Amino acid sequence: MKNKFYQIYTVLLLSIFTLISCDESDDPEIIELEVQTAEDIPANPDGAPPSYTFFDLDEGIVLAKSDSNSNKWDLAFSKTTILTNSGISGPGNGGALIVDGIFEDLKTVPETGFNEDTEESLAIPTGSGSGWYTYTGPTGSPAHAILPVPGKVIIVKTGEGKYAKVEILSIYEGNPDTANAEFEDLATRATYGYYTFRYVVQTEENTSF
Amino acid sequence: MMKFTVIIFALLLSQNSFSQIEHLLKGKITDKDGKGLPHATIKAGEKGAISNVNGEFRISLTDGTHTISVSSVGFITQTHSLVIPDQKEFKVILQEDIQKLNEVVVSATKTSRSIENIPLPIEVISAEEIEKIGALRLDEVLLEQVGMQIVSDHGTGLQIQGLSSDYILFLIDGEPIIGRTAGTLDLTRLAVDNIERIEVIKGPASSLYGSEAMAGVVNIITKKPNEGLSASIRARYRTFGTSDLNATVGYASKKTSASIFFNRVGSNGYDLNEETLSQTIPKYSGYTVNPKFVFKFSDKVNLSINSRMYSENQENLAEVTIGEEEVIMDDLGKRSDWNLMPTLEIKLKENHHLQLRGYHTQYKTESELINKEDRSIYESSYFDQFFNRIELQYDWYINEKHITTFGLGHTNEKVNATNYADINEFRANYAFLQYQWIPTDRFNVILGGRFDSHNAYDSRFSPKLAAGYKLNNWINIQASFGGGYKSPDFRQLLLNFTNPVAGYTVLGSTIVQDRMEELTQQDQIETIYIDPKTIETIKAESSIAYNLGFDLFPGKKSKVAFNFFRNEISNLIETAPIARKTNGQNVFSYFNFDEVITQGVDIKGDFQLSPNLNLSAGYQFLDSKNIEDINEIKNGEVFKRDPATNRTLKVSLKDYGGLVNRSRHSGNAKLFYINNQYNFDIALRTIYRGKWGVGDSNGNGIIDSENEYADDYFLLNLAVNKVLFQKITLESGINNILNVKNSFVPTMPGRIWYAGINIKLSKNNN
């Protein structure tokens, strides 16, 4: 009984200390940036000839095809291929870099390492295990699935040269749970080709996330 | 002057020798069956001797009456009063000490030693147990043993102390069985009806056996014919049209013995996955022939020749996608092995024993995919491996306290296969030395080491130190330390394989540079992850291991044994992608990178509940981990997804599920009952395998989430045998009574019924 009391007491004390120290370290100048979620962005789900969906992270909207030659768009999706508004893909000042970590923990933009889309490779590489996803293959569990690799955060340089961080959550409609039997069974699996991702875009005032 | 010196010398010695004339006493110590007992201790006051491999001994004694005691571990000590020189020959028949295990094992020291005197974790599975449980192939026997797991991975393999088949050396009568697929030696190749006993040493034995003996050694000792003429025939039939036929004929006299064993096994196989066209276990038939021959030239020279031939055919169907079309193919497989092992044993002098062993073996597989419609060959491949060895072993039983064993050997190994660059050859020389020291009845030590030098990789020394101590009547303690290693195999060094369906490529470590250059020239490479020039030839995998065992004898009829183990393996060989091809698939090669630890405890209890009823139960706790994974988790570099939101979370250490295919908990219980009145026996066994990781499904490469495990299961097996007219045994049983199925265990198709007959005939010369 006595022991339990001490335990609770210690936990309480520690919590208070933690709260105090948290308060102290918080930088009052930083304005919390809002985490946005883009849901079910179609990425050529019907498998027609290469057809991209152009997305503007600042506004959080899908753009018309006619905007593809502007620097308005930031990411373009078709199946597992994601273009950035850079190099061979677009006229913008975009680019991207994939870093390992937790979305929330990533606070600063790396100074170097950004890539542009080139003939040889895209800033966000395709291929199982090369970029942001893995293909589970015939023996995987679940089989024949495209799953985002956990712990991959894409730092995107937008068409206008701002920075955003993106975590892709799913490429299946409705962001389904991929560990259950419904997803396991190809007959009942959600439709492939719809992106759900969350992201944060830097504002003029804020260079950290 | 010369004469004078001799007289002085004689006078000086007279006190000791001239007044006490010694006479030689020759003797032989046997068990109740007349088999000589080696290493028995003979004591007469201050003097002592030790019996040789045939149980014979010599001792020089002064005239008069002597009290002689004869003792051997596992037997009741006898004391006799003898009068010298009247008694010149002395024969002793020792009675077994029921309380103690009297099993003699050879694998642990390469000399015949009582299991009680070996301070290493060792299991002996008797022919009696194998017969009672109605097993057909070796996997069915090992499945029911403590701390041994049957794992299906490119064949039916074994796991000991959490280490897979790659690291276990399999021997038949002391010589290695070759022929592995991706490291797994398929246990279904081995019939069990000609097995006298199986000795399993757990923990590294590279100090005697060299490469592969890292997790342990499984030594299959085949039956020798009994004296006189003997024959046996055994036939069994099982669910899935499985039939098994065994026949043995043997003859043995004092001078020669010869026997031949034949086995045919066949099955229709079965299918556990309706969705695929191919059967889980294909239709197959296999033949084993095992002739043995022994000739005694004299008491001192003995020649034996053993051989084994095995041939198996498999028939299955396969569905292959060519372009857009699904084509049905006949999937045909053949595999065979054969070996020849001549052994010459020479007794140079009393207590000096020389063995010259030769060994030649070949393993061959052929497989073909044939279009069912037009009979055209779509794909064919073969694998052909030779292994030759010559070994000289010299045992010197210095006296009852010191035994040394020394050996020298040469091996050469060749492989010629579809996916290998050329005919490739390995050559190795080795030497081993072992010293057994038995200072007192309570304490014994084994010290040994082996040096291997090889043409394809670095030389290696494998040490061993083991000690046993009898604390009191009911506690024995054993501790051992050893080093083990496994050299890279042909596949890891020389494989040049491109999967015809998926299109990925795997390149062995020594050919990776040249092949990558070729692929680059052919414009097949898109991105290089690791520069092939920086890839070093892989090193041998190595381990150090610690074992600590306690044998407790709480009552006269029970034994409980604990063995704590820890294996630390470094330079584990794994594949890793080195480049991406233009077809989007990767090129893989082999690297040394991981460090792995397996540790835990095996507990086994044997209880003779009544003269007719024996219960044994075992449990293994196993903890396995990859140090690199642990460090990455600690550094917060390993992630998973929250299934509800698909957001990334950090993996914590408590989620870490260890290495794939390892069950944290496993165990078994066996009940053997004999009814002497009605001549029948019952063997009821249950086997438990706790859940185990099967593979990553959430993209972080480790086992950490619930859906990455296979479910645990219980098996319940029953066998009933009834003896008629002493010579005929009717056998029947049900394996997997509970009809358990597990999609990750292809060797578990559900309930299996069987029935059979076993007839043994013998005619003694005497």
Side-chain angles (χ1 to χ4, degrees):
Chain A
M1 200 56 214
K2 209 175 177 184
N3 257 333
K4 200 147 201 181
F5 172 76
Y6 276 118
Q7 274 175 16
I8 294 165
Y9 184 73
T10 318
V11 168
L12 276 172
L13 261 181
L14 280 171
S15 325
I16 291 163
F17 274 121
T18 322
L19 282 171
I20 293 167
S21 54
C22 277
D23 281 344
E24 280 170 351
S25 68
D26 260 354
D27 194 340
E29 283 167 37
I30 289 181
I31 305 152
E32 273 301 310
L33 292 166
E34 211 175 324
V35 178
Q36 311 282 337
T37 304
E39 285 171 1
D40 292 333
I41 306 302
N44 190 18
D46 304 327
S51 160
Y52 287 90
T53 301
F54 296 89
F55 193 80
D56 181 359
L57 291 169
D58 312 77
E59 299 293 327
I61 51 164
V62 174
L63 297 171
K65 286 261 155 67
S66 53
D67 286 326
S68 66
N69 214 10
S70 72
N71 62 3
K72 280 187 193 167
W73 69 273
D74 306 313
L75 294 170
F77 302 92
S78 176
K79 297 272 165 59
T80 52
T81 306
I82 307 174
L83 306 177
T84 58
N85 199 340
S86 69
I88 58 158
S89 302
N93 297 317
L97 164 67
I98 298 179
V99 295
D100 291 334
I102 297 278
F103 185 76
E104 287 84 359
D105 296 353
L106 200 112
K107 297 287 183 194
T108 53
V109 173
E111 287 174 9
T112 55
F114 281 88
N115 297 312
E116 295 196 348
D117 291 1
T118 63
E119 289 288 353
E120 290 79 41
S121 62
L122 297 175
I124 302 168
T126 55
S128 176
S130 328
W132 61 273
Y133 68 90
T134 48
Y135 170 59
T136 57
T139 53
S141 167
H144 300 293
I146 299 283
L147 301 178
V149 179
K152 296 284 178 194
V153 182
I154 308 171
I155 314 278
V156 178
K157 209 175 156 195
T158 67
E160 285 123 6
K162 282 190 276 184
Y163 290 99
K165 61 175 177 181
V166 175
E167 181 185 24
I168 294 166
L169 303 178
S170 179
I171 192 171
Y172 293 90
E173 193 170 20
N175 187 23
D177 178 354
T178 58
N180 62 22
E182 193 185 329
F183 189 84
E184 180 87 40
D185 187 350
L186 284 167
T188 56
R189 186 178 289 179
T191 316
Y192 168 71
Y194 291 91
Y195 277 85
T196 296
F197 57 91
R198 54 183 184 144
Y199 62 98
V200 172
V201 190
Q202 286 181 351
T203 56
E204 305 290 322
E205 308 84 53
N206 259 320
T207 52
S208 61
F209 293 112
Chain B
M1 187 61 196
M2 182 70 181
K3 240 179 205 168
F4 184 69
T5 316
V6 172
I7 290 165
I8 296 286
F9 197 60
L11 280 171
L12 280 170
L13 288 176
S14 63
Q15 276 295 314
N16 296 317
S17 51
F18 277 65
S19 61
Q20 300 184 344
I21 297 156
E22 288 198 339
H23 282 92
L24 190 68
L25 174 73
K26 282 190 204 170
K28 186 169 183 180
I29 299 160
T30 64
D31 64 12
K32 62 180 190 335
D33 300 328
K35 209 176 120 200
L37 290 176
H39 324 308
T41 305
I42 300 94
K43 273 187 179 160
E46 294 285 293
K47 298 207 116 191
I50 188 161
S51 64
N52 69 10
V53 282
N54 294 328
E56 295 154 355
F57 70 92
R58 286 160 187 242
I59 188 166
S60 292
L61 295 173
T62 54
D63 290 359
T65 309
H66 292 273
T67 306
I68 292 186
S69 81
V70 180
S71 60
S72 181
V73 178
F75 293 85
I76 297 164
T77 302
Q78 291 184 12
T79 316
H80 296 264
S81 201
L82 301 180
V83 182
I84 303 292
D86 298 358
Q87 185 112 20
K88 290 189 174 62
E89 289 230 341
F90 181 43
K91 279 195 176 167
V92 185
I93 299 166
L94 289 183
Q95 298 299 319
E96 285 173 24
D97 188 342
I98 309 295
Q99 279 186 33
K100 291 182 182 174
L101 287 169
N102 62 323
E103 288 161 310
V104 170
V105 294
V106 297
S107 316
T109 58
K110 282 199 177 190
T111 54
S112 296
R113 297 297 310 276
S114 159
I115 196 167
E116 285 284 290
N117 264 357
I118 307 240
L120 299 170
I122 186 159
E123 292 285 335
V124 178
I125 306 159
S126 66
E128 193 189 353
E129 178 175 342
I130 296 169
E131 201 171 309
K132 275 186 178 167
I133 65 170
L136 294 185
R137 312 305 278 182
L138 190 61
D139 56 310
E140 291 174 15
V141 177
L142 300 181
L143 174 73
E144 301 192 356
Q145 309 303 322
V146 185
M148 292 184 219
Q149 214 58 262
I150 298 298
V151 175
S152 295
D153 176 16
H154 294 86
T156 307
L158 179 66
Q159 190 186 88
I160 296 179
Q161 292 193 347
L163 295 174
S164 60
S165 198
D166 308 46
Y167 309 108
I168 301 168
L169 182 67
F170 292 85
L171 308 168
I172 293 184
D173 293 318
E175 300 292 344
I177 306 168
I178 62 160
R180 290 166 185 258
T181 309
T184 298
L185 193 123
D186 191 352
L187 302 174
T188 65
R189 275 165 60 197
L190 298 154
V192 296
D193 210 42
N194 64 333
I195 295 177
E196 171 65 34
R197 65 180 191 277
I198 304 166
E199 301 178 1
V200 182
I201 309 169
K202 297 175 179 177
S206 291
S207 63
L208 278 178
Y209 296 100
S211 179
E212 286 171 9
M214 206 158 115
V217 174
V218 176
N219 192 3
I220 297 161
I221 316 286
T222 58
K223 281 177 182 165
K224 293 180 187 75
N226 291 330
E227 207 150 291
L229 195 61
S230 58
S232 71
I233 191 158
R234 189 179 187 191
R236 280 169 290 178
Y237 192 79
R238 276 189 184 187
T239 313
F240 303 119
T242 306
S243 62
D244 180 76
L245 183 69
N246 298 280
T248 313
V249 183
Y251 168 81
S253 70
K254 292 218 156 32
K255 233 175 152 51
T256 60
S257 90
S259 65
I260 187 157
F261 165 78
F262 168 83
N263 168 271
R264 186 214 182 258
V265 67
S267 176
N268 294 332
Y270 50 81
D271 194 12
L272 299 178
N273 186 354
E274 300 284 315
E275 285 169 27
T276 57
L277 185 68
S278 56
Q279 290 204 128
T280 309
I281 296 293
K283 188 179 175 184
Y284 69 92
S285 60
Y287 296 85
T288 308
V289 181
N290 176 209
K292 296 179 80 159
F293 176 75
V294 181
F295 184 76
K296 277 188 182 156
F297 290 97
S298 71
D299 280 351
K300 290 184 172 171
V301 183
N302 191 5
L303 174 73
S304 69
I305 298 169
N306 287 357
S307 179
R308 167 192 146 91
M309 284 151 261
Y310 178 67
S311 163
E312 185 194 286
N313 280 299
Q314 293 189 357
E315 280 174 46
N316 209 342
L317 289 174
E319 218 164 0
V320 180
T321 315
I322 304 170
E324 297 281 289
E325 211 184 337
E326 292 277 328
V327 183
I328 298 172
M329 306 268 181
D330 275 324
D331 184 358
L332 306 177
K334 265 187 205 177
R335 59 178 172 179
S336 58
D337 68 73
W338 71 276
N339 70 40
L340 185 69
M341 44 175 114
T343 304
L344 188 66
E345 285 177 86
I346 303 165
K347 255 171 280 165
L348 296 170
K349 273 190 278 173
E350 285 307 314
N351 300 335
H352 293 261
H353 185 216
L354 193 72
Q355 267 187 71
L356 182 64
R357 289 191 290 263
Y359 183 58
H360 174 83
T361 184
Q362 182 182 9
Y363 172 76
K364 208 172 167 179
T365 66
E366 282 172 65
S367 62
E368 271 183 339
L369 284 175
I370 298 170
N371 194 316
K372 207 142 177 75
E373 300 262 306
D374 60 13
R375 307 308 299 164
S376 64
I377 296 173
Y378 173 69
E379 196 201 318
S380 79
S381 64
Y382 68 94
F383 180 88
D384 199 353
Q385 184 183 4
F386 295 89
F387 179 91
N388 293 302
R389 178 160 92 166
I390 184 149
E391 187 175 278
L392 184 75
Q393 183 182 327
Y394 172 61
D395 305 323
W396 182 19
Y397 304 94
I398 303 167
N399 59 39
E400 74 256 49
K401 286 181 178 163
H402 310 276
I403 304 168
T404 58
T405 301
F406 169 69
L408 274 177
H410 173 81
T411 62
N412 92 39
E413 209 176 336
K414 267 184 209 172
V415 72
N416 184 8
T418 326
N419 300 315
Y420 291 67
D422 285 303
I423 294 184
N424 296 289
E425 192 172 351
F426 281 168
R427 286 181 308 280
N429 292 306
Y430 60 88
F432 59 86
L433 183 64
Q434 177 185 256
Y435 169 59
Q436 301 175 59
W437 182 43
I438 308 125
T440 72
D441 291 344
R442 295 180 130 191
F443 185 55
N444 75 93
V445 176
I446 297 175
L447 181 66
R450 170 164 157 150
F451 183 79
D452 284 84
S453 91
H454 196 282
N455 72 327
Y457 55 90
D458 293 345
S459 301
R460 181 157 290 276
F461 177 73
S462 310
K464 179 93 178 184
L465 175 63
Y469 184 68
K470 282 187 184 118
L471 192 66
N472 53 40
N473 273 343
W474 60 280
I475 303 178
N476 287 359
I477 304 171
Q478 302 142 16
S480 62
F481 163 79
Y485 83 100
K486 181 184 172 289
S487 56
D489 56 26
F490 283 112
R491 169 182 58 112
Q492 291 158 340
L493 292 172
L494 302 160
L495 189 68
N496 174 13
F497 172 72
T498 298
N499 186 300
V501 184
Y504 63 86
T505 298
V506 188
L507 301 174
S509 165
T510 55
I511 63 156
V512 63
Q513 285 192 23
D514 293 350
R515 275 295 292 155
M516 275 298 285
E517 223 163 273
E518 282 171 43
L519 289 172
T520 311
Q521 276 165 16
Q522 293 160 7
D523 283 331
Q524 287 200 47
I525 302 297
E526 189 185 285
T527 321
I528 286 179
Y529 307 137
I530 299 166
D531 183 0
K533 290 194 181 64
T534 65
I535 298 173
E536 290 172 28
T537 303
I538 43 176
K539 293 192 279 281
E541 297 166 280
S542 61
S543 75
I544 52 172
Y546 309 89
N547 282 274
L548 178 63
F550 300 91
D551 291 346
L552 310 179
F553 301 89
K556 282 181 178 176
K557 287 165 181 167
S558 53
K559 178 185 172 181
V560 181
F562 293 80
N563 187 59
F564 295 87
F565 59 88
R566 180 177 165 95
N567 294 288
E568 298 172 5
I569 302 120
S570 36
N571 283 327
L572 209 71
I573 298 172
E574 296 272 348
T575 53
I578 57 163
R580 190 161 82 240
K581 291 166 67 175
T582 45
N583 64 4
Q585 293 295 334
N586 283 330
V587 179
F588 297 89
S589 189
Y590 295 91
F591 294 90
N592 292 108
F593 49 90
D594 289 329
E595 287 206 16
V596 154
I597 288 175
T598 69
Q599 56 191 0
V601 60
D602 287 351
I603 305 168
K604 192 186 174 194
D606 274 299
F607 311 95
Q608 192 72 43
L609 300 177
S610 80
N612 298 337
L613 193 62
N614 182 286
L615 171 72
S616 75
Y619 167 75
Q620 183 186 61
F621 171 78
L622 172 66
D623 176 37
S624 67
K625 53 195 168 197
N626 184 325
I627 297 300
E628 217 165 295
D629 290 343
I630 296 282
N631 289 339
E632 281 176 6
I633 293 170
K634 280 184 183 161
N635 296 338
E637 294 162 357
V638 184
F639 308 101
K640 63 175 179 182
R641 296 190 163 271
D642 175 355
T645 62
N646 280 331
R647 291 183 187 180
T648 295
L649 302 171
K650 274 184 191 168
V651 172
S652 67
L653 267 184
K654 76 176 194 334
D655 296 330
Y656 180 61
L659 308 177
V660 293
N661 274 330
R662 273 72 176 181
S663 294
R664 210 168 167 77
H665 307 280
S666 62
N668 66 43
K670 304 183 225 183
L671 201 60
F672 289 98
Y673 170 75
I674 303 174
N675 185 310
N676 291 323
Q677 195 180 352
Y678 299 104
N679 278 322
F680 70 90
D681 60 74
I682 297 175
L684 182 67
R685 299 94 65 206
T686 178
I687 299 130
Y688 173 72
R689 183 171 184 197
K691 68 169 189 177
W692 69 97
V694 289
D696 172 48
S697 75
N698 59 3
N700 57 17
I702 64 161
I703 303 296
D704 65 300
S705 84
E706 272 311 308
N707 69 332
E708 295 174 342
Y709 290 93
D711 291 337
D712 61 344
Y713 63 79
F714 270 103
L715 289 180
L716 190 62
N717 297 343
L718 174 73
V720 182
N721 304 307
K722 161 85 180 149
V723 182
L724 297 172
F725 319 116
Q726 292 176 337
K727 291 183 168 76
I728 301 169
T729 306
L730 296 178
E731 41 187 323
S732 66
I734 314 167
N735 287 342
N736 194 355
I737 295 173
L738 305 173
N739 199 21
V740 177
K741 289 175 189 174
N742 186 311
S743 57
F744 295 100
V745 189
T747 51
M748 219 163 67
R751 195 178 293 124
I752 290 174
W753 299 79
Y754 71 87
I757 186 166
N758 190 352
I759 305 166
K760 287 178 185 168
L761 301 168
S762 66
K763 185 171 175 283
N764 207 302
N765 282 351
N766 307 330

